[in-house]
């Protein structure tokens, strides 16, 4: 049997977590995706199948996917969520380990008033 790559292991973790997590209109889901060059986040209502709010390093015109840029994306996403009166969320880390960029992103969301 061939050894799994890091991306394959992340996808397995992601599917396992998504089987247990779902966003509703009262508590939408915050999804995180990290590529080598960008950081993406969106707030999703899974019942409707719609993205309510999104932000990324591309929309903010930031270069690179590092912790500082993840914090800027979190601040922008929290500001947009507050404009749409979204206070309670479910955090979906997308199969990524909860450290580094993902942890910094979550902490900034909490500091800006989102509860999860």
């Amino acid at each position: 049997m061939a050894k799994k790559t890091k991306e394959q292991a992340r996808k397995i973790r992601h599917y396992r977590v998504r089987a247990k997590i779902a966003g509703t209109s009262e508590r939408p889901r915050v999804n995180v995706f990290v590529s080598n060059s960008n950081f993406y986040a969106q707030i999703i209502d899974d019942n409707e199948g719609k993205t309510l709010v999104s932000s990324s390093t591309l929309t903010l015109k930031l270069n690179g996917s590092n912790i500082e840029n993840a914090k800027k994306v979190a601040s922008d996403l929290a500001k947009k969520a507050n404009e749409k009166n979204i206070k309670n969320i479910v955090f979906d880390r997308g199969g990524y380990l909860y450290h580094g960029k993902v942890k910094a992103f979550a902490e900034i969301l909490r500091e800006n008033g989102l509860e999860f």
Side-chain angles (χ1 to χ4, degrees), residues 48-61:
E48 297 285 325
K50 293 184 178 179
T51 299
L52 306 173
V53 177
S54 67
S55 183
S56 70
T57 53
L58 289 176
T59 58
L60 297 176
K61 297 185 176 154

Side-chain angles (χ1 to χ4, degrees), residues 21-38:
I21 294 177
T24 63
S25 55
E26 296 85 34
R27 287 190 72 186
R29 174 173 58 99
V30 173
N31 186 33
V32 172
F33 179 73
V34 181
S35 71
N36 287 337
S37 56
N38 291 298

Side-chain angles (χ1 to χ4, degrees), residues 78-90:
K79 184 182 81 169
K80 290 178 181 178
N82 286 332
E83 289 173 0
K84 292 209 173 194
N85 295 323
I86 299 172
K87 300 292 180 201
N88 294 322
I89 58 169
V90 177

Side-chain angles (χ1 to χ4, degrees), residues 32 34 39 70 91-93 96-107:
V32 172
V34 181
F39 189 90
F91 189 70
D92 176 11
R93 56 189 172 83
Y96 299 102
L97 299 178
Y98 189 78
H99 69 91
K101 297 173 215 174
V102 176
K103 184 177 179 182
F105 176 81
E107 288 173 353

